[in-house]
Amino acid sequence: MHHARRTRKQAPKSGGAGSQPGASTRLPTGRRLRAASASVLALALGAGLLLSPAPVAHADAIWDRWQAADKAVNAGNPAAAVPHWKFLVDHYAAAGDWQNAALFSGRLNTYFDSAGDYEQAIVYYERENEYWLKDGKDWGAVDLQRAEQIRTTVEAYISTSDTEALRKRGLPAHGKLSKFEPDYGMYIGMYTERDPKMLNYFDRSESIYGKKHALYLAYSQVGKPFPKAYADRAKQAGAGLQIAWEPMNGLDAVTDAAVRQWAKEAKAAGLPIFLRYASEMNGNWVPWHGDSDKYIRNFRMVHDIMAQEAPNVAMVWSPGDVPMYSMDAYYPGDDYVDWVGVSLYSEPYENGDPNQGNMQGTSPVERLDYLYSTYADRKPLMISETAVSHYANVPKESFTAYGTLNLQRLYGIMPYKYPRLKSVTYFNVNLEMTESKNNYLLRDNEAMMGLYQKLIAPPYYLTKVEQGVRPADHAGFVPLTSDAVFYKQATITPFIKIPDIYIGKVEYLLNGKLIGTQTAPPYGVQVKAGDVPAGSTLGIVVYNEAGKQAAVKTFSIESGIAITLDGKDVAFEQPPVIREGNTLAPIRAIFEAMGATVEWNASTRTATAKKGPTTVSVTAGSREAFVGGRSQILEVPAQLIGGSTMVPARFASEAFGGAVGWDGASRTVQIRSDGKKSAAAVSIASVKPETVMSSTAIPSDSAAPSSRGWFGWLKQQLGRLSGLWERFA
C-alpha cells in the first residue's frame, strides 16, 4: 500500500501573496528556514563573526552599513535599510563570503515580498539560493519555491498537426526512444484501489471517465508475491501496470533469489510493466533512504535481473520532488534506467495542515523544472504518482478553485511545456485523516471530475502502451512563438500564474478585438485562419478576483494556407505562399496526392508529372507550362521556394482535371479530383482582400472576377489567347 506521506524537508515560504487568496502585501510568516537563517545572523552578529575579512578600515565601513540598516529597521522604516542591504549583499558576494551574501539576500527578499514588489523579491530569492549552494548548503530550495509562487507567468501553447515538429520535441538528445516510450503524446494512468466505485476493476474506466487508461498503479512489497490479480485485470482492460515495488525491510533484504522469482512471474503476466523500484529514495520517510551507494548497487542488481528474466519490464527511477538537491546522488546511471519518474502532489496546505505551510501559490508546473532540466535530454519522464487536492480535511475547507486551476496545469499545460513528460498517473484517493489528510478523489467534486474527463479526452492522452505510439489524430501543442504557423483553425491554451493566485477573468484579443472571455478553467480559445491576416497579434489579459488587471501579454500569431484533396489534408514540406497576389502551391505535393508521378530535371529546372495519358511540365522561372502538349500561360512564373517547385494553386489543381474552391474561413484550397465543384467553394466576390488566393481567388473559370482580380483575370485570358495564337499560327 501507499506509504505515509512525507513532510517536506524544504518548507515552503508561506504568507505574503501565497498566504491567502488575494493577499498581496502580508509579511511572510512561518518560514522555518528563514527563521533559521535569521537566528544564524543574530548569533553571528552577537559573536562578531560576520565581519568582512577585508582590511580594518574597510571593515569599519561595512560595519557602519550594517548598523545603519539595523537602525532603520528598529525605527520601523525597513525601506531605508534596503540600500544598505543591497550594498552588503554585493560586498560579501564579491568577497566570496557566501553565507553573509545569502543572509542579506534573505533580508531583501523578505522585505520586497512583504511590500508586494515581487520582481525584486524574485531576484533576491534566486540570489539567496545561489549563495547557499556556493556555501555547500541546499537551504535555498525554499527560496526558489517562493520565487515561483510570486512570479507572474503568461505563456501560450498552440495546437498543431505538424507531426515532425511534435516528434522532434519529444525525442531525447541521442534520438532513440526508451522502452515503451511514445513518439509523442502522454500515457494516462491511475491508482484506483481506494475509489469505491472503481476499485481494481480497471475495465470500468471508460464508463466512468469516458476513456480507457494506459496503465494502472499497484503497490507491492519486496518479499511478497507478485501482484498477479492486478496484472490480470490490467491485461483484461488492455492496459499496462505500474508497480511501486517497495523494500520495506531495507535494501539488505533484497536478494537475487527473491528478485529473480518475482521477475519470472512478471514475465509470465504478459503485459507491459513499469517497475518503480524503491521510489522516493531521497526522502528520509522511506527505510531505503540514507546510503546512496548501496541504493545504486541494489537498483542495478534489480535492473540486471529484470533484463535477463523479464523483457516486458521497464525500470523507473522515481525520486520525490523534494528534497530537490539530494536526489541526484541516488541516480543509478543511464544504462540502468528506462524512465525517470517523480512523486509530485499539489495541496493547499503542507500535509493538509494550515500550520505547516500554505502551498496555494505553488503550482505543479515549475516543480518539474529541476528534474526535467537534469534528465529529460536522456530519458522520458513520468509523473509516477500525483494528485491535486480539492478539500483539506483538517480545517474542513473546500478548495475547488485551487483544484481545477492546478488540475488543468497538470494535464493541460505540463505535457505541452515539457514534451518529454510522457506519462502521468493520478492517485485517486480521499486520504481523510491519514497521511497527507487531503481529498484527491475526483468523484467527490463534480467540477474536478468533469474537468478531468474533458482534459484527458483528446487523443494526445494515450490509452495503450506501445513502443513509438502517436496520438490517433497526430495532433499536439507547441509553444506559441513568432515562427509557429497554424492551418485552418487552432486552439491556444495559456499557462497563467499570478501572485494573487486565483484568476478572476481571462480575456483574449485578436488584433485588439475581444474574441473570448473565461472565468474558470479550462482556459483556452480557438482561432480560425481566416481571421488571422499577416501581422496578427493575440493578446491575453488576466484579472485577479478583485477585477484588477494582473497581467497582460501579446503574442505574434500567423496562419498558413492549407490544401485539401477530396476532403483530406495534403501534406507538404514547403507551405503555400502568396506572391504578387497569387497563391503558389507545391506542385509535387498536389500532383502526387492526385496519383501522378513527378520527376525533376535539375539541369533544365523542369518538373514533369505523368498520370495516365496526360503529361504536365513546368519550368522554374517560366510563365509557360504544358499540359498534354498544350501551352498554358501561368499568372506568375513557376518558382523554386525552399527546394520545391511552386506554381499558381489553380493550375496545380486543374492540370489533371481537378476542380478547385476556396474556403476563406479556414484559408483552405479545396481540390476535388473528380472535377466537381466543392460545395464549400465560394465566389471570389466574398473573399477578403487579405486572404486573396490568386488574382482570381481560385474561382471557377466562368466565375466573374472581383474588382481586385480584373487585371489578373484579363492577363490570364490574354495569355491563353497568346498561347493559342502561337500554337496555331
Side-chain angles (χ1 to χ4, degrees):
M1 294 299 293
H2 178 63
H3 53 74
R5 289 291 310 285
R6 72 279 186 235
T7 299
R8 297 169 187 261
K9 178 180 178 182
Q10 295 134 324
K13 297 191 175 185
S14 59
S19 65
Q20 294 180 13
S24 59
T25 58
R26 289 187 173 86
L27 180 67
T29 58
R31 301 181 183 176
R32 294 197 291 267
L33 292 183
R34 175 68 64 247
S37 297
S39 298
V40 171
L41 179 60
L43 289 171
L45 274 168
L49 298 177
L50 297 185
L51 291 178
S52 168
V56 175
H58 187 62
D60 289 340
I62 301 306
W63 181 246
D64 290 343
R65 287 277 194 167
W66 203 325
Q67 286 185 311
D70 287 349
K71 183 178 179 181
V73 172
N74 293 333
N77 185 19
V82 168
H84 302 297
W85 288 334
K86 286 184 175 181
F87 175 89
L88 291 167
V89 167
D90 294 339
H91 166 77
Y92 285 118
D97 184 344
W98 307 121
Q99 177 172 287
N100 277 339
L103 292 170
F104 280 110
S105 294
R107 291 284 183 98
L108 285 163
N109 59 44
T110 298
Y111 169 75
F112 286 127
D113 196 338
S114 65
D117 188 346
Y118 299 124
E119 293 302 315
Q120 289 209 67
I122 289 168
V123 169
Y124 284 98
Y125 280 127
E126 291 175 343
R127 290 183 69 172
E128 183 179 0
N129 174 67
E130 175 190 350
Y131 299 145
W132 281 131
L133 288 177
K134 288 181 177 180
D135 198 45
K137 301 177 178 65
D138 65 356
W139 296 351
V142 67
D143 296 286
L144 291 186
Q145 187 176 72
R146 181 58 187 163
E148 289 302 332
Q149 286 183 339
I150 59 176
R151 193 187 306 275
T152 297
T153 301
V154 182
E155 299 172 354
Y157 299 86
I158 187 168
S159 59
T160 182
S161 295
D162 185 343
T163 56
E164 191 58 27
L166 292 166
R167 184 172 178 273
K168 284 181 178 178
R169 292 190 78 226
L171 282 174
H174 53 69
K176 184 180 179 181
L177 296 175
S178 191
K179 184 179 286 189
F180 303 145
E181 182 180 352
D183 236 2
Y184 59 93
M186 189 184 83
Y187 294 134
I188 48 173
M190 184 169 281
Y191 174 65
T192 67
E193 190 167 27
R194 293 160 73 175
D195 176 354
K197 293 290 181 68
M198 188 163 173
L199 302 174
N200 287 325
Y201 297 99
F202 303 139
D203 54 3
R204 295 178 181 177
S205 175
E206 197 165 9
S207 64
I208 295 174
Y209 300 105
K211 193 168 185 175
K212 296 179 179 179
H213 283 63
L215 53 97
Y216 294 92
L217 170 60
Y219 291 89
S220 181
Q221 293 183 19
V222 176
K224 299 288 181 68
F226 175 81
K228 186 175 183 302
Y230 294 85
D232 290 344
R233 286 179 175 168
K235 188 175 182 179
Q236 180 183 359
L241 196 65
Q242 182 202 150
I243 301 178
W245 202 31
E246 301 180 330
M248 297 303 293
N249 294 322
L251 296 174
D252 290 335
V254 183
T255 64
D256 183 289
V259 175
R260 200 168 295 276
Q261 178 59 35
W262 196 94
K264 291 177 180 179
E265 294 180 36
K267 179 182 178 181
L271 79 167
I273 294 174
F274 295 87
L275 182 57
R276 179 162 59 107
Y277 174 68
S279 63
E280 300 185 20
M281 76 301 297
N282 55 321
N284 58 11
W285 51 87
V286 296
W288 48 91
H289 167 79
D291 188 334
S292 60
D293 290 339
K294 180 187 288 187
Y295 175 88
I296 289 172
R297 291 195 300 270
N298 195 269
F299 191 101
R300 289 177 175 181
M301 178 192 72
V302 173
H303 165 274
D304 290 346
I305 293 173
M306 293 300 157
Q308 296 164 16
E309 304 285 355
N312 60 317
V313 169
M315 292 295 295
V316 181
W317 176 74
S318 185
D321 69 312
V322 292
M324 181 191 302
Y325 295 122
S326 63
M327 63 177 68
D328 298 333
Y330 290 86
Y331 186 61
D334 289 350
D335 292 340
Y336 301 91
V337 173
D338 295 308
W339 289 65
V340 169
V342 67
S343 296
L344 187 159
Y345 284 79
S346 297
E347 50 204 27
Y349 298 125
E350 184 74 29
N351 292 309
D353 184 355
N355 295 318
Q356 288 192 31
N358 190 308
M359 298 291 290
Q360 292 172 59
T362 300
S363 87
V365 179
E366 63 274 3
R367 288 162 59 195
L368 195 64
D369 280 345
Y370 178 78
L371 199 75
Y372 196 87
S373 63
T374 306
Y375 298 102
D377 61 337
R378 294 125 65 193
K379 299 294 175 182
L381 266 64
M382 67 164 57
I383 301 180
S384 43
E385 185 181 309
T386 188
V388 179
S389 172
H390 56 80
Y391 190 86
N393 287 307
V394 172
K396 302 188 185 308
E397 192 173 352
S398 179
F399 283 95
T400 296
Y402 171 88
T404 54
L405 181 67
N406 288 292
L407 191 66
Q408 184 190 10
R409 289 169 174 170
L410 181 63
Y411 284 92
I413 296 297
M414 294 180 73
Y416 310 145
K417 183 178 178 69
Y418 307 108
R420 298 279 294 141
L421 174 60
K422 295 188 174 181
S423 182
V424 172
T425 295
Y426 193 84
F427 189 71
N428 200 31
V429 174
N430 178 7
L431 289 175
E432 299 181 283
M433 299 307 290
T434 62
E435 302 174 49
S436 81
K437 303 176 181 62
N438 278 282
N439 189 352
Y440 310 115
L441 189 62
L442 296 169
R443 71 170 58 259
D444 282 354
N445 186 294
E446 184 177 347
M448 292 284 285
M449 184 69 164
L451 180 59
Y452 182 78
Q453 292 168 331
K454 186 178 295 186
L455 288 170
I456 67 169
Y460 189 87
Y461 302 90
L462 304 168
T463 59
K464 188 172 183 180
V465 177
E466 294 179 293
Q467 188 71 37
V469 66
R470 298 181 179 184
D473 63 354
H474 305 290
F477 281 74
V478 296
L480 179 55
T481 57
S482 57
D483 59 350
V485 179
F486 77 94
Y487 297 88
K488 295 184 178 179
Q489 68 175 25
T491 298
I492 296 169
T493 300
F495 168 42
I496 301 166
K497 192 160 63 67
I498 58 176
D500 299 296
I501 304 172
Y502 296 107
I503 298 166
K505 182 175 65 173
V506 180
E507 293 180 340
Y508 306 91
L509 295 91
L510 183 59
N511 298 320
K513 179 182 178 182
L514 184 66
I515 60 169
T517 300
Q518 292 169 322
T519 57
Y523 298 111
V525 68
Q526 283 194 336
V527 291
K528 293 184 177 180
D531 295 327
V532 183
S536 289
T537 59
L538 178 79
I540 299 177
V541 185
V542 185
Y543 299 87
N544 62 18
E545 288 189 310
K548 180 181 178 181
Q549 183 174 301
V552 61
K553 189 167 183 180
T554 301
F555 300 84
S556 296
I557 184 169
E558 182 179 353
S559 68
I561 298 167
I563 300 174
T564 62
L565 176 65
D566 298 329
K568 295 182 178 180
D569 291 335
V570 175
F572 38 72
E573 293 184 4
Q574 170 59 49
V577 298
I578 296 178
R579 294 289 187 271
E580 300 177 27
N582 292 268
T583 295
L584 303 185
I587 195 171
R588 179 182 291 275
I590 295 177
F591 283 176
E592 288 184 344
M594 297 180 79
T597 59
V598 182
E599 295 181 353
W600 169 252
N601 187 322
S603 61
T604 62
R605 293 168 33 109
T606 299
T608 302
K610 295 181 180 180
K611 180 182 179 183
T614 304
T615 299
V616 177
S617 64
V618 175
T619 300
S622 175
R623 281 181 177 273
E624 188 175 27
F626 293 91
V627 179
R630 296 184 177 184
S631 173
Q632 286 196 21
I633 303 302
L634 305 176
E635 294 153 313
V636 294
Q639 300 179 29
L640 278 177
I641 301 175
S644 297
T645 304
M646 309 287 284
V647 297
R650 173 176 293 285
F651 171 79
S653 305
E654 296 179 345
F656 286 110
V660 63
W662 168 246
D663 178 12
S666 63
R667 299 190 76 200
T668 302
V669 178
Q670 299 175 325
I671 306 170
R672 289 281 297 270
S673 62
D674 58 9
K676 296 179 181 179
K677 301 299 180 189
S678 170
V682 296
S683 71
I684 55 171
S686 65
V687 179
K688 298 177 181 179
E690 65 268 21
T691 59
V692 66
M693 291 294 299
S694 70
S695 58
T696 56
I698 318 187
S700 64
D701 284 343
S702 59
S706 67
S707 58
R708 180 184 176 96
W710 268 111
F711 182 66
W713 178 84
L714 182 59
K715 284 197 304 179
Q716 183 184 45
Q717 307 313 313
L718 290 173
R720 288 176 176 172
L721 288 172
S722 175
L724 289 171
W725 175 261
E726 291 175 1
R727 181 173 179 77
F728 293 109

